[in-house]
Amino acid sequence: MALQNITDKQLFPVLTGWRLPLALWVLFYHLNAILYDLFQPPLIVMDILQRGYFAVDVFFTISGLVIAHHYGAILGKFQKRDYLHFLWLRLARVYPLHLTILLALAMMVILAPVLDYRINQPQDYSLPLFIANLALVQAWSIPDDLDWNHPAWAISAEWFAYLASPFLFRILNRNWSRSFYLLLGLAALALPVIIRYATQQEHGTFALYRVIGDFTAGICLYHILPVSWRLLQKPGFLLNRAWLYGGQISYALYMVQYPVLLVMRKVWPHQHIMHDTLLIRLLYMVILITLVVSTAILCYHLIEEPARRYLRQRNPFKR
């Protein structure tokens, strides 16, 4: 069975199930310093956690596969209305929650002097950077810096990939052999890795190279062979209802973790309990992770999903 013949009902549960472990890997990547201070895990565990930025590359690759499945043929023809329809749907998916968190952070920055709350690295919360975040172009500079809601660099990078999609599909929608698509996909995946190690940077730096390489790999994965589909289906537990729900809230989980951690560092710094009992330290981690997950659930049900449905229904480019 070729990927082109897989229905949405087959494809989306599998890919949705993969999103939860990836989002959790990013979360524990952001928690790795706290985990080290509180528990001193084995070096191999820390090494795995510190590679959590690779999860974003997998997200980009999955995105390329999904876009190829749904819109590849249409975008390759580059009809203006179809292109704008596609961009509207993608904005409806990612922008409302991004905007909400950005405005919440702006409110925190504005109220900081009143609340006697000192902002670390205030240069990261400047008005020009706020405007760049509003326009989803904050990750387009080379090299770029993390600012405002740090994980949102990936949304900015992916927005670039959406804009470039017609050109990518015009190039990649060919009758090439599966072997050639495999080699091209591997080369595309190697590009961001080579750049990351060449520059010794691991966050959003050179984000556009990362997203184009990963997105291209996802498109190639779509064209490759049935084996890729079987590999994606291997971990059957990913189709469990709880995992699927976790996959649905994974975008919110990704987007809210930095603001929650930012508040937690001020309200209850982990340094205050570094020498407490193991039970207290474990309780701290449970509370912290529960706050992140519960905030993500609330944002998904109250902001992300209602806004997405509202905007999809009012799509001015829908045929």
Side-chain angles (χ1 to χ4, degrees):
M1 177 170 55
L3 278 174
Q4 290 90 333
N5 298 324
I6 293 170
T7 66
D8 292 349
K9 194 171 182 180
Q10 293 171 297
L11 178 68
F12 277 97
V14 174
L15 295 182
T16 299
W18 273 103
R19 292 181 183 275
L20 177 59
L22 293 172
L24 291 175
W25 194 12
V26 176
L27 173 60
F28 281 100
Y29 165 70
H30 288 138
L31 291 175
N32 77 83
I34 297 176
L35 287 166
Y36 181 79
D37 287 345
L38 295 183
F39 305 107
Q40 289 80 49
L43 289 179
I44 188 171
V45 174
M46 292 304 301
D47 191 56
I48 293 171
L49 297 183
Q50 289 168 359
R51 297 293 184 272
Y53 50 81
F54 280 120
V56 179
D57 293 288
V58 182
F59 273 123
F60 288 156
T61 303
I62 289 176
S63 182
L65 190 156
V66 172
I67 299 304
H69 178 72
H70 268 300
Y71 305 103
I74 296 173
L75 290 173
K77 297 175 183 177
F78 199 40
Q79 298 293 322
K80 180 180 177 181
R81 190 174 183 87
D82 291 331
Y83 179 49
L84 293 175
H85 169 70
F86 163 73
L87 292 179
W88 181 275
L89 293 180
R90 300 321 297 163
L91 272 181
R93 174 73 177 86
V94 303
Y95 198 75
L97 185 57
H98 166 66
L99 178 62
T100 301
I101 293 174
L102 187 61
L103 293 176
L105 286 170
M107 188 63 65
M108 286 174 56
V109 171
I110 292 170
L111 294 177
V114 179
L115 301 175
D116 195 26
Y117 176 91
R118 189 170 65 85
I119 298 292
N120 292 334
Q121 299 175 313
Q123 70 275 11
D124 291 341
Y125 301 94
S126 67
L127 181 59
L129 290 175
F130 179 83
I131 294 172
N133 275 263
L134 274 180
L136 282 179
V137 298
Q138 71 269 27
W140 291 16
S141 60
I142 303 177
D144 62 331
D145 294 307
L146 297 178
D147 54 71
W148 287 91
N149 186 22
H150 291 188
W153 74 265
I155 310 307
S156 170
E158 191 152 344
W159 178 240
F160 179 86
Y162 296 155
L163 293 173
S165 288
F167 307 101
L168 289 174
F169 286 112
R170 182 67 64 89
I171 294 169
L172 296 173
N173 283 354
R174 307 286 180 180
N175 291 320
W176 292 329
S177 69
R178 290 170 176 170
S179 297
F180 183 80
Y181 272 117
L182 176 61
L183 291 174
L184 181 61
L186 291 174
L189 283 177
L191 175 65
V193 175
I194 292 170
I195 290 173
R196 182 181 298 113
Y197 283 102
T199 60
Q200 294 298 303
Q201 300 292 327
E202 59 188 37
H203 294 291
T205 305
F206 299 100
L208 301 190
Y209 290 107
R210 286 179 69 179
V211 74
I212 292 301
D214 297 331
F215 202 83
T216 298
I219 297 172
C220 291
L221 180 62
Y222 175 73
H223 285 284
I224 291 174
L225 69 168
V227 173
S228 59
W229 175 239
R230 291 200 294 270
L231 289 173
L232 286 171
Q233 294 183 90
K234 279 290 184 184
F237 67 88
L238 294 176
L239 296 177
N240 177 278
R241 183 177 296 180
W243 279 96
L244 290 176
Y245 179 73
Q248 289 173 342
I249 67 166
S250 60
Y251 174 60
L253 185 62
Y254 177 78
M255 291 294 285
V256 306
Q257 55 189 255
Y258 177 75
V260 173
L261 293 176
L262 191 66
V263 172
M264 193 68 167
R265 287 191 193 111
K266 297 295 182 180
V267 175
W268 190 9
H270 75 275
Q271 292 87 350
H272 291 180
I273 62 161
M274 284 175 59
H275 304 294
D276 278 340
T277 65
L278 177 61
L279 181 61
I280 295 296
R281 286 177 280 143
L282 286 172
L283 180 63
Y284 179 90
M285 289 306 303
V286 169
I287 291 173
L288 180 53
I289 294 171
T290 300
L291 281 174
V292 173
V293 173
S294 58
T295 303
I297 291 172
L298 287 174
C299 286
Y300 173 77
H301 288 288
L302 299 180
I303 300 168
E304 179 188 344
E305 190 60 16
R308 184 186 67 85
R309 288 198 302 267
Y310 179 86
L311 291 173
R312 285 177 68 93
Q313 291 169 0
R314 286 155 181 80
N315 183 351
F317 308 109
K318 187 174 181 180
R319 291 191 182 277

